[in-house]
Amino acid sequence: MAILNQEPPRFLKKGFRFGFGEEMEGVDYLTDERKTAQFDIEAMKVAWAGSRETLEVSDRMAKLVANDPVFEKFSRPMLGRKELFKNTLRKAAYAWKLIVSLGLSEEEAKWLRLYIDEPAFTDLHWGMFIPAIEGQGTEEQKQKWLPLAQKMQIIGCYAQTELGHGSNVQGLETTATFDPQTDEFVLHSPTLTSSKWWPGGLGKVSTHAIVYARLIVGGQFHGVHGFIVQLRSLEDHSPVDGITVGDIGLKFGNGAYNTMDNGVLRFDHVRIPRNQMLMRVSQVTKEGEIMQSDVPRQLIYGTMVYVRQTIVADASKALSRAVCIATRYSAVRRQFGSRNGGPETQVIDYKTQQNRLFPLLASAYAFRFVGEWLKWLYMDVKQRLAANDFSTLPEAHACTAGLKSLTTTATADGIEECRKLCGGHGYLVSSGLPELFAVYIPACTYEGDNVVLLLQVARFLVKTVSELGHKKPVGTTAYMGRAAGLLQTNCAVQTAEEWLNPGAIVEAFEARAARMAVGIAQRLAKFENPEQGFAELAADLVEASVAHCQLIVVSKFIEKLQQQDIRGKGVRESLEVLCYVYALFTLHKHQGDFLATGCLSPKQASLANDQLRTLYSKVRPNAVALVDSFSYTDHYLGSILGRYDGNVYPKLYEAAWEDPLNDSDVADGFHQYVQPMLKQKLLLSSAKL
């Protein structure tokens, strides 16, 4: 026993295997799990990716990144801030070199940046700066600025949020005052709270920004508008006169989002030419007249729909990564249950683990498919806008706002739940989950605080209810047109098996959403002051919005299963199981809504939960194969616990010895501080107690 407790010799600590390491090295410990799959994994990969072409491009870029040592990321959490940021700049420059030298398409470049898996200034440049010019710039502005941006001859960011205002865009304080004498706008930060605060890429890299400011012409306020502003010299990168700019400091996590230079920006009467105001919708003439173009203001919402649909797509990627890690590790990890000296029980076989893990697995697929649908919705909106058809825009705006809120909240919570599902080892940075969580959670705030977005959805729902008598609801609110029937309908489910009827599920979710929306609208009508009522009932309005958004996710998952492009043995059947898991778990989690609104009886809610337990048994043999279908490389997962081969314990042991604290047997500072304490030679100060 004494031998077992002895510390291994140093030559065995680093770079050598012994004991369990020799047995486990080179073995795929998840082979048996993969043999139980009841579907064609390659076909499921196509279903997840959306098409075989997308899968091939994605896999090719993932392997390109994984096999290039420049993109190594496992040492990232141990780097100091300056070294970390410099490393990010190096990777971004190298990635751009690859894009140019290999002649990568826009689609390939997008996947390359995704798999590098490191927040960087390029995210805002390609994701916000360029789309803003494309959506809000005139043809002349696009011809001037887009070639420069697309060739990375200028680098841009999106400067909207301020120290004192985020979600309330109309409350922004930065001013842009037109000077007709010089045909210029004068940008100014009149207060401390008017400082731009948070824009990614602003702190140290961006040469230009889309700055949102209060337009002042002739002493009158004419709304908040966007302006293209040069921040730094293109020669030596020093700030332009009148501009104070820097980084806002460390953020949550180790490496995480600290690779991004989120910035602070102040203007001291900075002048820009008049033609640098984004003027596709509104224009200011040389004479100082405000002109509205033929393009309606609603066009701006098109850009918002685009950005939010990408956020929903990113939610499915982040949640699926966490679920992949937790699922594989749950299959590797064994605890308790040993009989007669045999192996212990796999953690994934415990019903409590399944009840927490499998709904998250189902959610990842649900969010993937609703994100796919949102991409179609954006293209539809884009085509309609080009034809001056704005009829579906309010519904599309509300839909994307609600789904952004729903999916990012569920994903942030889901990543943390996956960390807890991995037990103590999930707390290690090498599990990949703490870093994934730290990088992801800002999504609950940027591009609209999630609660604020749900309140916007609620306003739209209340308006839809108020117009039922004379206006037909469209798109995702079409079910409201059947509100009279949904308020009266009774669920017909009598057995647990009947919950496997898509029609019964959709009807239950529609009835719940309709009753909550109509109910809250009726309560609001009792207030003399509508805004007072809205403030008083805000929490209930949020719940009604969540019900509406969950209906969208459930219905789009079901619609996906009805498409003819799902091919491969067992693929449709396996997805059906996940669809029912998502729907019935959501029903169980929110059964208070279903019961309180009279949509279900307590017996029917209980039957839904019975069926849910049965469904978990159907997910179990497919669990590892379902996460394999995400087709993520070990590099992208960035997790020892989520390794494809399941070789967890030796790799955890190796990783421990790579920590700088283990560079020596005796820690720096030990002799100075701890040894005197052990030797009872501490010098007591003369301070009185």
Side-chain angles (χ1 to χ4, degrees):
M1 192 67 182
I3 295 176
L4 289 176
N5 287 332
Q6 285 181 356
E7 185 173 316
R10 187 153 189 80
F11 72 88
L12 286 179
K13 289 181 184 176
K14 289 191 173 185
F16 286 81
R17 310 282 190 273
F18 64 96
F20 60 77
E22 290 176 353
E23 295 170 10
M24 296 182 77
E25 191 67 22
V27 178
D28 185 342
Y29 279 82
L30 292 171
T31 297
D32 290 342
E33 287 289 330
R34 295 183 171 107
K35 288 179 180 177
T36 64
Q38 298 164 332
F39 63 87
D40 182 336
I41 295 180
E42 291 306 310
M44 185 66 84
K45 287 181 179 180
V46 173
W48 171 265
S51 70
R52 185 163 296 281
E53 293 74 21
T54 300
L55 175 64
E56 289 172 355
V57 171
S58 170
D59 278 359
R60 190 166 68 251
M61 293 300 104
K63 290 171 184 173
L64 178 64
V65 171
N67 294 328
D68 195 319
V70 171
F71 298 122
E72 182 276 328
K73 64 181 184 181
F74 297 97
S75 62
R76 191 168 69 195
M78 298 179 188
L79 299 178
R81 180 77 197 283
K82 284 188 174 181
E83 190 179 2
L84 177 70
F85 187 65
K86 185 177 180 179
N87 193 42
T88 300
L89 299 184
R90 178 176 65 92
K91 290 182 182 180
Y94 182 74
W96 178 245
K97 182 179 178 181
L98 282 180
I99 290 168
V100 173
S101 63
L102 298 177
L104 299 185
S105 67
E106 187 176 330
E107 182 75 3
E108 289 171 325
K110 181 194 75 173
W111 284 108
L112 179 76
R113 286 190 289 269
L114 170 77
Y115 286 123
I116 292 172
D117 189 35
E118 193 158 308
F121 63 91
T122 48
D123 299 348
L124 281 298
H125 177 78
W126 294 101
M128 296 293 289
F129 182 74
I130 289 176
I133 296 174
E134 289 174 332
Q136 300 172 45
T138 62
E139 289 304 316
E140 293 78 12
Q141 288 173 327
K142 286 189 277 189
Q143 288 173 14
K144 176 180 179 179
W145 296 103
L146 288 179
L148 296 172
Q150 289 163 345
K151 294 176 183 176
M152 297 291 283
Q153 291 174 321
I154 62 172
I155 297 170
C157 63
Y158 190 85
Q160 177 174 295
T161 299
E162 295 179 353
L163 187 58
H165 288 87
S167 299
N168 182 14
V169 176
Q170 293 306 310
L172 296 179
E173 299 176 83
T174 301
T175 57
T177 304
F178 181 60
D179 182 353
Q181 301 299 320
T182 60
D183 198 27
E184 294 173 319
F185 288 107
V186 182
L187 277 84
H188 186 60
S189 305
T191 64
L192 179 67
T193 51
S194 69
S195 306
K196 294 299 179 183
W197 192 273
W198 277 114
L202 170 65
K204 292 295 175 183
V205 177
S206 292
T207 61
H208 290 70
I210 303 293
V211 176
Y212 284 86
R214 301 171 69 82
L215 174 61
I216 309 294
V217 179
Q220 299 294 313
F221 169 54
H222 292 277
V224 174
H225 295 265
F227 300 82
I228 302 173
V229 183
Q230 183 170 346
L231 307 175
R232 294 178 169 97
S233 165
L234 295 178
E235 298 301 322
D236 62 7
H237 205 59
S238 60
V240 170
D241 287 345
I243 283 180
T244 301
V245 62
D247 188 272
I248 63 172
L250 282 172
K251 300 168 288 282
F252 188 77
N254 295 327
Y257 225 84
N258 289 302
T259 56
M260 180 73 80
D261 55 328
N262 296 92
V264 53
L265 169 66
R266 288 184 59 77
F267 298 99
D268 183 2
H269 300 93
V270 175
R271 291 179 172 270
I272 63 170
R274 177 177 56 85
N275 63 9
Q276 286 180 213
M277 171 182 165
L278 292 175
M279 294 193 186
R280 187 176 182 187
V281 175
S282 300
Q283 300 171 359
V284 177
T285 67
K286 290 182 180 180
E287 296 73 29
E289 293 183 24
I290 307 295
M291 306 279 290
Q292 296 299 320
S293 70
D294 296 334
V295 179
R297 281 195 67 82
Q298 295 99 314
L299 187 73
I300 296 173
Y301 291 116
T303 303
M304 206 174 289
V305 170
Y306 166 76
V307 172
R308 286 175 180 162
Q309 65 91 14
T310 62
I311 292 175
V312 172
D314 290 343
S316 71
K317 293 184 183 75
L319 182 56
S320 58
R321 286 173 69 180
V323 168
C324 184
I325 294 167
T327 300
R328 287 176 178 169
Y329 182 61
S330 294
V332 170
R333 184 75 167 176
R334 292 176 178 270
Q335 291 290 292
F336 306 110
S338 174
R339 295 183 180 179
N340 301 320
E344 294 176 273
T345 302
Q346 289 172 280
V347 170
I348 199 171
D349 284 329
Y350 287 106
K351 296 300 179 182
T352 49
Q353 191 83 350
Q354 293 177 7
N355 187 56
R356 296 163 65 195
L357 177 60
F358 291 168
L360 294 175
L361 173 57
S363 296
Y365 274 88
F367 296 168
R368 173 68 188 93
F369 296 139
V370 81
E372 189 178 86
W373 170 76
L374 274 181
K375 189 173 182 180
W376 169 87
L377 179 69
Y378 168 68
M379 297 307 297
D380 180 67
V381 166
K382 192 175 180 181
Q383 290 173 2
R384 289 175 182 270
L385 289 175
N388 287 327
D389 176 3
F390 306 100
S391 59
T392 63
L393 196 55
E395 184 269 333
H397 176 252
C399 175
T400 51
L403 289 174
K404 183 270 181 186
S405 175
L406 182 79
T407 57
T408 56
T409 297
T411 296
D413 293 344
I415 295 170
E416 170 62 5
E417 186 67 11
C418 285
R419 183 193 66 77
K420 291 186 281 191
L421 283 163
C422 291
H425 295 336
Y427 193 63
L428 286 168
V429 168
S430 59
S431 76
L433 292 166
E435 286 292 279
L436 178 59
F437 180 69
V439 167
Y440 187 76
I441 52 175
C444 295
T445 305
Y446 61 60
E447 286 308 300
D449 173 86
N450 281 357
V451 173
V452 173
L453 290 181
L454 289 176
L455 288 171
Q456 290 179 9
V457 176
R459 286 188 183 275
F460 175 73
L461 291 176
V462 170
K463 183 179 179 183
T464 301
V465 171
S466 70
E467 296 174 340
L468 284 179
H470 58 275
K471 188 175 180 181
K472 184 179 179 181
V474 297
T476 55
T477 56
Y479 70 98
M480 288 286 196
R482 295 178 278 108
L486 291 171
L487 294 177
Q488 301 297 324
T489 188
N490 292 314
C491 179
V493 169
Q494 295 183 354
T495 66
E497 291 72 24
E498 289 177 27
W499 275 118
L500 300 182
N501 176 358
I505 289 175
V506 171
E507 184 180 68
F509 274 82
E510 285 182 342
R512 169 207 180 201
R515 294 180 190 193
M516 291 180 74
V518 171
I520 196 67
Q522 290 173 340
R523 291 166 63 193
L524 275 173
K526 296 177 182 179
F527 285 83
E528 290 184 11
N529 183 338
E531 288 306 311
Q532 181 187 354
F534 204 87
E536 188 68 27
L537 300 176
D540 296 334
L541 286 159
V542 164
E543 290 178 1
S545 296
V546 168
H548 171 69
C549 295
Q550 288 173 340
L551 165 62
I552 296 174
V553 178
V554 168
S555 60
K556 295 308 171 187
F557 203 155
I558 290 172
E559 286 177 17
K560 173 69 177 180
L561 296 174
Q562 295 168 347
Q563 294 177 6
Q564 299 301 312
D565 61 351
I566 298 179
R567 298 183 178 88
K569 174 193 171 186
V571 172
R572 190 182 304 275
E573 293 78 6
S574 298
L575 289 177
E576 284 176 351
V577 171
L578 291 178
C579 179
Y580 292 134
V581 167
Y582 178 80
L584 296 183
F585 180 80
T586 303
L587 188 154
H588 176 67
K589 185 177 179 182
H590 296 272
Q591 64 180 305
D593 291 346
F594 289 91
L595 295 174
T597 55
C599 299
L600 303 180
S601 68
K603 175 65 174 176
Q604 289 168 329
S606 179
L607 290 172
N609 202 36
D610 291 342
Q611 183 56 244
L612 187 59
R613 282 194 298 272
T614 302
L615 289 168
Y616 291 157
S617 298
K618 293 183 179 180
V619 174
R620 173 62 188 94
N622 292 318
V624 169
L626 283 167
V627 299
D628 285 351
S629 299
F630 301 147
S631 199
Y632 293 151
T633 62
D634 280 351
H635 176 278
Y636 182 57
L637 278 182
S639 169
I640 291 176
L641 303 188
R643 289 174 57 91
Y644 182 84
D645 62 7
N647 190 21
V648 171
Y649 298 123
K651 297 301 180 182
L652 280 178
Y653 190 83
E654 285 179 40
W657 297 111
E658 291 173 5
D659 191 288
L661 205 57
N662 287 322
D663 286 346
S664 62
D665 285 321
V666 180
D668 185 28
F670 175 84
H671 292 299
Q672 183 178 358
Y673 300 112
V674 180
Q675 193 170 44
M677 181 168 60
L678 292 172
K679 299 295 185 181
Q680 299 296 302
K681 293 181 179 179
L682 287 173
L683 295 176
L684 297 176
S685 70
S686 59
K688 296 181 180 179
L689 295 177

